[in-house]
Amino acid sequence: MADFVSEFWSWFIIIPTVIGILAMFPLVYFNRGQKQSGEADKMGHSWDEDLEEYNNPLPGWWLNLFYITIVFGIIYLILYPGLGSFGGVLGWSSTQRYQNELEYAEERYGPIFEKYQQTDIRTLARNDDAMRAAERLYANYCAQCHGSDARGAPGYPNLRDDNWLWGGEPEQIRETIANGRTGVMPGWEDALGEEGLFNVTEYVLSLSGRQHDSAVAEKGKARYEQLCVACHGPDGTGNTAMGAPNLTNRTWLYGGAQKTVMESIAKGRQGHMPPHGEFLGDSKVHLLSAYVYHLSAQHEQQ
C-alpha cells in the first residue's frame, strides 16, 4: 500500500471501505425484523406439502454477531494496515515481521553456523552433523535449480559429479556460492554459416568420442581453432577461470545430442548463478560450500 504513486489511489480504497463498513450498521438494524405477537407471518413458500417458511426475526445472539463483526472490522483497520497507505496505529508491517523472524533465527542458530565457520571446508565436509544442517540449507536455497538430489537439470549443473565449470576446489566453490557466476557463450551462427555450423558441431562431438563424421569433423577443426580455442582451449578441455566447459568429457550442461550441441554453437548460451553471500552471510556460505564439496567428494569415492 505504501507504494502508491498517487494519494488518489489511497483515498480510492479508504473512502469506499469506510462507507461500506459504516453502512452495515443501518443495513443490519433495519433488516433485523420485528418480533410478532401471536403467529408469525408466512412467506408463502412450502416444501414437502406441509413444510412452510415463516417470517421470524433472527435470534438476538445471532444478530449481535453481525454487530460484533462490524466493530471488529473497524478496530482492525485502525490498528493494522488495510486502508490505503494508512499503516495502522500499531505500525505493523509484513516486512518488519519478516525482519524480526530473521533476527530471531540468527540469534538462535547463528552461533551454530559460526562454530562451523572455524573449520576448513575439507574437514567440515566430513562432519556428519554439519552436513545434516547443510542439507537443510541446500533444500531451502539451492534445490529449486539443482534439484533435491543435487543432480541438476538442463542448464543447471550436476553437483554430484567431478566436472566443474568454475572449478571444484573449496575456495572456488565458496566464491561461486557467495558472489555468483555469469557465463556467456556467444552465438556463432552468422559467422559460421550453415555448413560451418554443422562442421564445427561434428568436431565438438569428436572431442568427447561421440559418434561423428570424421571427414566433416576435420573440416570443422580449422573453424574451431579460429573461433572456439580462446575459451575452450586447443585440446577442448575448457577454462575454469572463464566458466568455459570441458568438451572432451561426456558431461553436457544443455544436452549432448547433435541437435542440442548445434543449437548451443549457433545461438549461444547464457547461464547465471545468483550471488547468495549477502543474504546468507559468511557462515552459511561456508557451510553450504562444504556440503557441495562433500557431494562431489562422495562421487570421487564411488
Side-chain angles (χ1 to χ4, degrees):
M1 292 297 182
D3 295 331
F4 283 132
V5 295
S6 169
E7 277 298 306
F8 167 80
W9 295 109
S10 182
W11 287 106
F12 182 80
I13 292 175
I14 293 174
I15 294 174
T17 301
V18 172
I19 292 175
I21 290 177
L22 295 179
M24 291 298 103
F25 282 106
L27 181 65
V28 173
Y29 179 81
F30 289 112
N31 286 278
R32 69 191 187 283
Q34 298 293 330
K35 191 164 184 178
Q36 308 269 344
S37 58
E39 186 176 352
D41 296 334
K42 296 180 180 180
M43 300 298 294
H45 303 149
S46 61
W47 299 266
D48 296 333
E49 298 182 357
D50 58 352
L51 183 61
E52 295 183 288
E53 180 183 359
Y54 285 80
N55 186 23
N56 283 321
L58 286 174
W61 65 268
W62 194 333
L63 186 66
N64 289 333
L65 283 178
F66 285 110
Y67 292 120
I68 293 171
T69 301
I70 297 170
V71 172
F72 174 84
I74 293 173
I75 295 173
Y76 181 91
L77 290 175
I78 292 173
L79 297 178
Y80 295 98
L83 293 175
S85 58
F86 174 64
V89 298
L90 293 182
W92 183 94
S93 72
S94 57
T95 302
Q96 186 59 47
R97 175 68 179 270
Y98 174 71
Q99 188 61 38
N100 291 342
E101 290 179 358
L102 287 181
E103 291 173 0
Y104 170 77
E106 183 62 29
E107 180 181 346
R108 182 172 182 180
Y109 303 111
I112 299 174
F113 296 121
E114 290 173 4
K115 177 186 70 174
Y116 290 139
Q117 191 176 6
Q118 307 308 315
T119 307
D120 71 89
I121 289 176
R122 283 188 171 87
T123 303
L124 191 60
R126 297 192 294 270
N127 184 321
D128 292 338
D129 290 337
M131 291 302 96
R132 280 192 287 270
E135 186 176 13
R136 290 189 284 272
L137 283 178
Y138 174 89
N140 285 329
Y141 300 109
C142 313
Q144 295 89 336
C145 293
H146 295 283
S148 58
D149 60 356
R151 297 190 186 278
Y156 301 96
N158 181 351
L159 303 179
R160 287 187 176 272
D161 59 24
D162 55 358
N163 297 299
W164 299 90
L165 291 174
W166 299 92
E169 293 301 314
E171 289 308 312
Q172 292 171 317
I173 295 173
R174 181 186 176 89
E175 174 70 16
T176 297
I177 296 174
N179 298 319
R181 301 288 189 180
T182 298
V184 179
M185 158 78 177
W188 297 105
E189 187 173 25
D190 293 337
L192 288 171
E194 185 176 346
E195 181 179 356
L197 180 60
F198 178 70
N199 294 344
V200 172
T201 299
E202 288 297 292
Y203 180 71
V204 170
L205 293 174
S206 75
L207 290 173
S208 59
R210 299 178 70 87
Q211 183 177 354
H212 64 281
D213 186 315
S214 299
V216 174
E218 189 62 29
K219 295 179 183 178
K221 180 178 180 180
R223 300 309 303 274
Y224 172 90
E225 292 175 345
Q226 290 175 347
L227 302 175
C228 312
V229 69
C231 294
H232 296 284
D235 54 0
T237 53
N239 185 343
T240 56
M242 304 174 65
N246 183 348
L247 304 178
T248 65
N249 58 29
R250 290 179 174 267
T251 301
W252 299 87
L253 187 58
Y254 293 93
Q258 183 194 57
K259 180 179 179 181
T260 307
V261 174
M262 186 178 295
E263 181 181 353
S264 295
I265 298 172
K267 307 296 184 184
R269 300 289 186 182
Q270 293 190 5
H272 179 64
M273 159 76 178
H276 288 69
E278 185 174 347
F279 70 89
L280 282 182
D282 290 341
S283 57
K284 291 179 183 177
V285 167
H286 186 80
L287 185 57
L288 266 177
S289 301
Y291 181 71
V292 174
Y293 182 80
H294 159 78
L295 294 176
S296 180
Q298 281 185 327
H299 171 81
E300 293 176 359
Q301 294 166 5
Q302 291 174 355

